[in-house]
Amino acid sequence: MFMKILQVDFDYQGPMGTDMSEALKDLALSINKEPGLIWKIWTESASEQLGGGIYLFEDEKSAQNYLAMHSERLKNMGVKEVRGIIFDINLPLTEINSGPVI
Amino acid sequence: MFMKILQVDFDYQGPMGTDMSEALKDLALSINKEPGLIWKIWTESASEQLGGGIYLFEDEKSAQNYLAMHSERLKNMGVKEVRGIIFDINLPLTEINSGPVI
């Protein structure tokens, strides 16, 4: 089994920054319970009106399951199109650049 | 100054896995010298024919400078279109999910 990076982004005009931190705290706590999740970095761009996340998962299956569930949840929150890509990690090169996956 | 995530991906049919680790080792070593870089995770997807990277930079300016230079380098390597997005990090939510940015 190999760890995977899940990269998600989507058009988003909702609250960002401190407002988002408050509004989505319970969601973040629930994400810790998702099977196979190791970590998530929450990404946002006010200038490009994008929300997103970078996730590290233990294996492909858990990344796939999460992406399916999360896409559905975002659509229920009004997001029209979710761009989600599951990537392999090139570990030797990532290690050279101190990537925090090991 | 706030740290930024740079998310890059592009259509790619070149070597992946061990072949890429060997071919791009010197490039990875040179990336450690880029101003403001904290880490890079090397991403690749053979099934979707994508290459990419997730980077943590010390600030927006260094992320912008790197993206401009890297896009040019990829185009010289034959990549037609580079998708690069510079994101803010929602630190309180990222902290809840153990995101490795602090």
Side-chain angles (χ1 to χ4, degrees):
Chain A
M1 303 297 257
F2 293 101
M3 288 183 292
K4 301 284 174 177
I5 287 286
L6 169 63
Q7 171 186 303
V8 175
D9 58 86
F10 46 87
D11 297 332
Y12 176 74
Q13 288 88 39
M16 291 193 181
T18 314
D19 290 343
M20 185 162 91
S21 308
E22 288 300 319
L24 299 186
K25 193 178 161 191
D26 287 346
L27 178 60
L29 287 167
S30 82
I31 287 173
N32 282 336
K33 297 176 194 153
E34 295 295 344
L37 179 89
I38 300 171
W39 52 250
K40 173 182 181 181
I41 297 171
W42 289 68
T43 53
E44 57 186 65
S45 169
S47 59
E48 300 203 43
Q49 299 209 310
L50 293 172
I54 308 291
Y55 305 74
L56 182 65
F57 277 95
E58 281 173 12
D59 54 45
E60 178 145 29
K61 190 71 197 151
S62 53
Q64 282 170 344
N65 290 343
Y66 182 85
L67 176 58
M69 178 280 293
H70 188 48
S71 298
E72 195 60 32
R73 177 164 64 193
L74 286 166
K75 280 171 188 172
N76 290 338
M77 290 165 75
V79 171
K80 290 212 177 75
E81 194 208 336
V82 177
R83 294 173 290 276
I85 307 172
I86 295 169
F87 283 107
D88 293 320
I89 300 164
N90 191 301
L91 282 176
L93 296 176
T94 296
E95 208 166 335
I96 291 173
N97 296 137
S98 308
V101 297
I102 310 169
Chain B
M1 304 294 258
F2 292 101
M3 287 183 293
K4 301 284 175 178
I5 288 285
L6 169 63
Q7 171 186 303
V8 175
D9 57 86
F10 46 86
D11 297 331
Y12 176 73
Q13 289 88 38
M16 292 193 180
T18 314
D19 290 344
M20 185 162 90
S21 309
E22 288 301 317
L24 299 185
K25 193 178 161 189
D26 287 347
L27 178 60
L29 287 167
S30 82
I31 288 173
N32 281 336
K33 297 177 194 150
E34 295 295 342
L37 179 89
I38 300 171
W39 52 250
K40 173 182 181 181
I41 297 172
W42 289 68
T43 53
E44 57 186 65
S45 169
S47 59
E48 301 203 40
Q49 299 207 310
L50 293 172
I54 308 292
Y55 305 74
L56 182 65
F57 278 95
E58 280 172 13
D59 54 45
E60 178 145 28
K61 189 71 197 150
S62 53
Q64 281 170 344
N65 289 343
Y66 182 85
L67 176 58
M69 178 280 293
H70 188 47
S71 298
E72 195 60 31
R73 177 165 63 193
L74 285 166
K75 280 170 189 173
N76 290 338
M77 290 165 75
V79 171
K80 289 211 176 77
E81 193 207 338
V82 177
R83 294 174 290 276
I85 307 172
I86 295 169
F87 283 106
D88 293 321
I89 300 164
N90 191 300
L91 283 176
L93 296 175
T94 296
E95 208 167 335
I96 291 172
N97 295 138
S98 308
V101 297
I102 310 170

